[in-house]
Amino acid sequence: MTQAMRMMIAGTAHGIGRAVASQAASRGFLLALGDIDEAALGHQAAELAALTQVHAAPLDVTKAESARRFVQTTLERFGAIDALVCNAGGMVSLVHSGKLDRSFKPFAESDPAEWKQVIDLNLYGVLNVTHAVLPSMLARGAGRMVLVSSVSGLFGAAGLAVYSAAKAGVIAFTKALARELGPAGITVNSVAPGGIATRAFPETGANTSKRLERISVGRLGLPEEVANTVMYLAADAPAYLTGEVISVSGGPP
């Protein structure tokens, strides 16, 4: 009997992470779901438990110990992690938590304390999670990592200078880690979403029409469309594909 694939998703309760979890559950993957939003995580875990085995626990990716604890409990439950999807990040969650007063802000009006909040979540969060997962993958000589970045990290975005810098760091980290881990049988790739209909870019938002003018296909993307790409890299892509960044953004900027 073939062993079901074991997938860990960091940042799973909303948007893209939620869509990835739904697609993975529909394919029978065993799921380790981590998110800082415990209420939403609980609802998601209850829904997906009807489809597959689910391990769900609070996860604050900005804290290395939280990442290590979540990985350890996942390994205790499932024995291994075949694929990591590191999706935690963004700006909206920082606004919702009161750590930022708004998502978009000119760099000249920003404060170094805000820079730290953005970089802790969007860059250090990725470093913390991958560092915690890596020993178990190295021990097995196998694994797939998909790190969610952003087109802001590829091209920059006005009003999101520090966020763009953090996501550019994720992209560089993806490429460097792929070089390190290729000989160990571990692939590392990144998905860079553009304008996706999530909490960050509601379809009826005040700035949506302006954003649509810059998207070749003339609409916001769906979380499921990004999830399709994440699932390809996490489960279906050839092992020869590593160190790549796939933009899911509706066309060139």
Side-chain angles (χ1 to χ4, degrees), residues 11 113 208 238 242:
T208 298
T242 191

Side-chain angles (χ1 to χ4, degrees), residues 35-68:
D35 202 282
I36 199 168
D37 187 338
E38 295 186 41
L41 177 65
H43 290 307
Q44 180 189 34
E47 292 173 4
L48 298 183
L51 299 174
T52 188
Q53 295 182 48
V54 175
H55 166 62
L59 171 62
D60 182 350
V61 299
T62 67
K63 295 180 170 56
E65 180 54 36
S66 179
R68 286 193 293 268

Side-chain angles (χ1 to χ4, degrees), residues 10 59-68 84 86-90 94 114-132 147-148 162-163 165-171 173:
L59 171 62
D60 182 350
V61 299
T62 67
K63 295 180 170 56
E65 180 54 36
S66 179
R68 286 193 293 268
L84 164 68
C86 196
N87 176 68
L94 294 174
E114 297 175 333
W115 308 346
K116 185 177 187 305
Q117 297 287 353
V118 174
I119 293 171
D120 279 352
L121 176 58
N122 290 284
L123 180 55
Y124 272 97
V126 174
L127 301 181
N128 287 334
V129 172
T130 55
H131 195 259
L147 313 181
V148 177
V162 178
Y163 174 78
K167 290 300 189 179
V170 173
I171 290 168
F173 178 64

Side-chain angles (χ1 to χ4, degrees), residues 7-9 11-12 14-27 29 31 33 44 48 85 87 146 148 223-224 226-231 234:
M7 177 181 285
M8 172 181 157
I9 308 174
T12 182
H14 302 279
I16 293 167
R18 185 174 182 83
V20 172
S22 295
Q23 291 190 17
S26 70
R27 293 176 58 172
F29 290 14
L31 293 178
L33 307 177
Q44 180 189 34
L48 298 183
V85 176
N87 176 68
V146 184
V148 177
E224 291 76 14
V226 183
N228 290 342
T229 309
V230 171
M231 289 296 296

Side-chain angles (χ1 to χ4, degrees), residues 62-78:
T62 67
K63 295 180 170 56
E65 180 54 36
S66 179
R68 286 193 293 268
R69 184 167 56 249
F70 182 69
V71 169
Q72 182 58 40
T73 57
T74 297
L75 293 173
E76 291 170 358
R77 174 72 182 276
F78 294 140

Side-chain angles (χ1 to χ4, degrees), residues 186-210:
I186 300 168
T187 65
V188 188
N189 292 289
S190 180
V191 175
I196 307 300
T198 61
R199 294 185 301 170
F201 295 107
E203 294 183 88
T204 57
N207 297 317
T208 298
S209 60
K210 289 184 179 180

